[in-house]
Amino acid sequence: MTPVPAERRSTWQRILLELKRSRRYLKSPLTSLGNALVSAKRKLEHRHVVRLRIKAARDGYAASPISRVKDSFMLVRIIGNDLEPRHRKGQSYDNALFILDNEPAFPDCEKFWIVNRITDPEEEARIIGLLESWNQNFHRIPFDLDAYRQIPWNMDELATGLFRSSDSVRSAEPNAARYETHIRRGKNLYVMNNNGARNTALEIARGRAKWLMPWDGNSYLTLSAYQQIRAATRENPHFRYVVVPMARIVDNAILLDTAFKPRANEEPQIIFRTDTTELFDENYPYGRRPKVEMLWRLGVPGQWDRFRDDRWDFPRRPLSPTAGLFQNAGWVARLDSGRSHLEIGKAGFLARWTSRDEAIVDMLDRCDARAVSARLDPSRLAFYDEDALAAASRNKDADLQRHLRNCADQALTRGPFSVTDKTGVAPSGNPHDYFQPAPYWWPDPDKPDGLPFVGRDGERAPGTRLYETGSEAYDRTRLQRLLDDTTVLALAATVLGEQHYAGHAGGLIRTWFIDPATRMNPHMRYAQVRFGHDDNEGNGQGIIELKDLYFFLDAVRLIERAGVLDASEGEAFRSWLGSYRQWLDTAPAAVAASKRLNNHGVFFDLLRASIAAFLGESAMLAEIGRRARERLVDQIAPDGSLPRELSRTRPRHYTLYTLQGWTTLARILSSVGDDLWQHRAGEGQGLVRTLRWLAANIDSHDTTPMDAVDPHRLWPLLLDLARHDPEATIRNAEAQTVMPVFHPDEGIAPFWMWRRP
């Protein structure tokens, strides 16, 4: 039976056809039938409107001003970044060279180039040099690292429970790679600048030609394809757009065969008549349909109509008033990407999406690392403020300096300290292994051997409290003495200018980290051991016992400036720190600690950021800045409270303790230009809001006698609120007494008032 031509089908025949096309998407029969009918009716109505629109355009063309404009073209190619592994490095340059070497001149067609935010200065210079050597006209859109640094992470849609380091979230999220590109959307928009450059191309070409071709830099046009396009515009000039199908090429050389004509069915390039006003939507980043959004608006059908949206994608914009006013003509080649396996077949299509997301993330992470690296000086203090210490050194009679001298003189009477000094031994039997039982775990009274130990939150087991009798069996007390005493001595040597303090501090560093006979092994496998659990190894929570490395590393910097540690000792210390860093990044217990959504996760980031700043790891600092913003959403409630800490048996203590971790992390990040202070999540979570909540609510929560806290602990946090919230008012500010030294369990650095702003 001969099929009925489309133009002779009845309305119901067309609706039935639409239903057949939709059958694989049907769910509930009645609902789906209704939706399909509505969809079919809309399509039919749209087709009717388009037919009328085309007829009006054809009938009115001869009388329009555009009909008197000479038939000419301007082809503007946009050269962007090579994105590995989606592209081969250097493919943009090589393809531009191929075009210049082989593409013929076209009658009535001006060629132009845009060099679009190439992030690699050497590669950009190479491309510009190529264009200049061929006397090509081009426009440069520069990549500005300072401008890039100001672009925030896009986490507004990140809801509570979507912390990406969580195993449960990662396994539940099928589009994890696209999530990663989504949170980098603003950065992607700036660096790739796809639609921004296309609109620049339209702006440059408009008025210089009748037909504007804002095309990708890897587009190659043969003479015969150009002639087809030109013939189509002459025959049907009333169409405002020309859609030019694309063919992916894996060997550029085949284009030199003048008889070659591939099957072109890929996402097309678009030609605009100069009197059109449509612009590309610059909110669509690379990898999320920047050109497709224009195809949607123009009503150009294709496989892109079947693309699925993620929950954070923009709602699709309505059809343009000029939708349907396009014709298909010619074809264009997409030159070799250097990754032929990504260009062929369905497998290549799927792999292309994955590699594109990977390439976007890799490119932007390298830009983030560059932005951090430009501000990172590992020799400069990361927590303490250089200017504050210099000012203090000029004011030697102040009470604060006298307090510093007293603390430093006491430190001279202690140490050196070593993990080999403990009277107990780690489960490994190695005296160089750090060892400390978990503080809130006790023998099970119902078991003869007490194993496995059971938890009692807030109740410390004997010997686990700092400085108490029995703590000499373990390492926590002497570790804290090392961190605090070294820091106080380094501050005293700097502020008071007396070298003997630095000399003793140098001995503390050598004994714990450098001397093979006494140094600690660079791991925390036996920190906070819960006997009878995990083969008597720590589960990662004990890493927090080294959290104060952030101020200790500033002390090491000061001691090195004083000349107490020679170059070989400095190298040995960095070797130890690098080994510990590797353990933090790879050990399962450490990885688990990094994912915790309470104070342990924050202090892990603080520890890792401090090490990265000391070792000059700009990429890691950039990663921690991102991770902190994700963590903040899950840890801080929209009202500014910290629900996980408030659920503890000591809610006041843990709230203050955790906020000290957050504000200190913000300081470390600010040392490389990353402003965590002013970050706001989608529901308003941020450090300023949580500090406001603290100021308003710290005394309003029920607590227990064991949760009594020193009110002076509030003061460092309230000062942060005053600095970063201009509207904040601090009650009784004049009456506050500055305490320079707190108990280590309170998470406040010695002589904290000399910290960075």
Side-chain angles (χ1 to χ4, degrees), residues 95-304:
N95 285 342
L97 178 59
F98 181 85
I99 292 169
L100 294 169
D101 268 338
N102 298 289
E103 189 180 76
F106 302 134
D108 298 319
C109 180
E110 177 185 359
K111 296 182 182 180
F112 195 91
W113 302 80
I114 291 178
V115 181
N116 184 32
R117 292 206 176 121
I118 308 298
T119 62
D120 183 338
E122 293 182 2
E123 191 65 14
E124 183 188 51
R126 199 162 74 105
I127 291 170
I128 289 176
L130 173 67
L131 297 177
E132 290 177 338
S133 70
W134 282 78
N135 296 316
Q136 297 292 294
N137 293 320
F138 67 91
H139 172 74
R140 173 178 176 258
I141 303 177
F143 172 75
D144 185 326
L145 190 60
D146 285 334
Y148 176 82
R149 182 184 289 111
Q150 305 306 316
I151 299 171
W153 295 90
N154 183 51
M155 296 182 179
D156 288 348
E157 297 88 1
L158 187 62
T160 300
L162 279 184
F163 178 49
R164 291 308 310 168
S165 290
S166 166
D167 283 335
S168 61
V169 173
R170 181 179 288 114
S171 62
E173 177 53 69
N175 299 325
R178 293 211 295 275
Y179 164 85
E180 296 296 341
T181 61
H182 166 70
I183 64 173
R184 295 166 174 82
R185 183 171 66 83
K187 298 169 184 285
N188 184 351
L189 286 170
Y190 178 80
V191 173
M192 311 311 174
N193 194 36
N194 292 80
N195 283 351
R198 288 182 177 123
N199 287 339
T200 299
L202 288 171
E203 181 183 354
I204 290 171
R206 187 166 279 117
R208 295 171 65 170
K210 183 173 182 177
W211 298 98
L212 321 178
M213 306 167 73
W215 284 11
D216 300 339
N218 294 304
S219 300
Y220 182 91
L221 196 58
T222 65
L223 180 58
S224 62
Y226 174 75
Q227 290 170 339
Q228 293 171 33
I229 293 168
R230 194 177 186 197
T233 57
R234 284 176 174 172
E235 183 178 349
N236 297 299
H238 56 281
F239 284 111
R240 295 176 178 238
Y241 311 94
V242 181
V243 175
V244 184
M246 187 178 73
R248 295 185 179 276
I249 304 300
V250 297
D251 182 359
N252 292 347
I254 64 175
L255 294 167
L256 303 181
D257 179 358
T258 56
F260 174 71
K261 184 178 180 181
R263 182 168 175 249
N265 58 358
E266 298 283 345
E267 183 180 305
Q269 300 292 330
I270 308 172
I271 302 175
F272 296 73
R273 207 171 68 188
T274 192
D275 61 333
T276 57
T277 59
E278 291 290 344
L279 294 173
F280 291 90
D281 189 334
E282 297 184 23
N283 287 310
Y284 280 76
Y286 175 72
R288 292 312 291 164
R289 312 154 183 170
K291 182 159 22 101
V292 162
E293 69 83 21
M294 178 64 77
L295 298 174
W296 280 334
R297 281 192 281 139
L298 297 182
V300 179
Q303 60 182 335
W304 41 89

Side-chain angles (χ1 to χ4, degrees), residues 376-512:
L376 174 59
D377 179 356
S379 68
R380 284 189 61 82
L381 305 184
F383 174 75
Y384 290 106
D385 184 64
E386 305 268 3
D387 293 337
L389 294 182
S393 69
R394 296 191 295 268
N395 189 17
K396 293 184 173 26
D397 293 330
D399 289 342
L400 197 56
Q401 279 74 337
R402 285 196 291 273
H403 196 125
L404 174 62
R405 182 181 295 278
N406 290 336
C407 290
D409 287 344
Q410 292 176 32
L412 287 175
T413 67
R414 295 190 288 261
F417 311 100
S418 168
V419 291
T420 61
D421 294 338
K422 57 180 169 286
T423 58
V425 65
S428 64
N430 188 333
H432 292 271
D433 285 343
Y434 181 92
F435 173 45
Q436 182 74 17
Y440 303 140
W441 288 77
W442 295 70
D444 187 341
D446 297 329
K447 304 287 180 63
D449 59 359
L451 297 176
F453 277 24
V454 294
R456 299 182 193 172
D457 189 22
E459 299 182 44
R460 283 191 172 271
T464 63
R465 192 180 301 276
L466 278 172
Y467 317 129
E468 73 176 355
T469 301
S471 65
E472 65 276 1
Y474 313 119
D475 286 314
R476 176 77 177 92
T477 290
R478 62 179 54 82
L479 172 63
Q480 195 63 50
R481 288 291 192 198
L482 164 79
L483 300 172
D484 291 342
D485 285 1
T486 304
T487 301
V488 166
L489 291 164
L491 292 173
T494 302
V495 172
L496 305 178
E498 299 182 23
Q499 187 72 3
H500 66 290
Y501 291 126
H504 189 64
L508 298 181
I509 296 169
R510 289 188 194 95
T511 302
W512 192 277

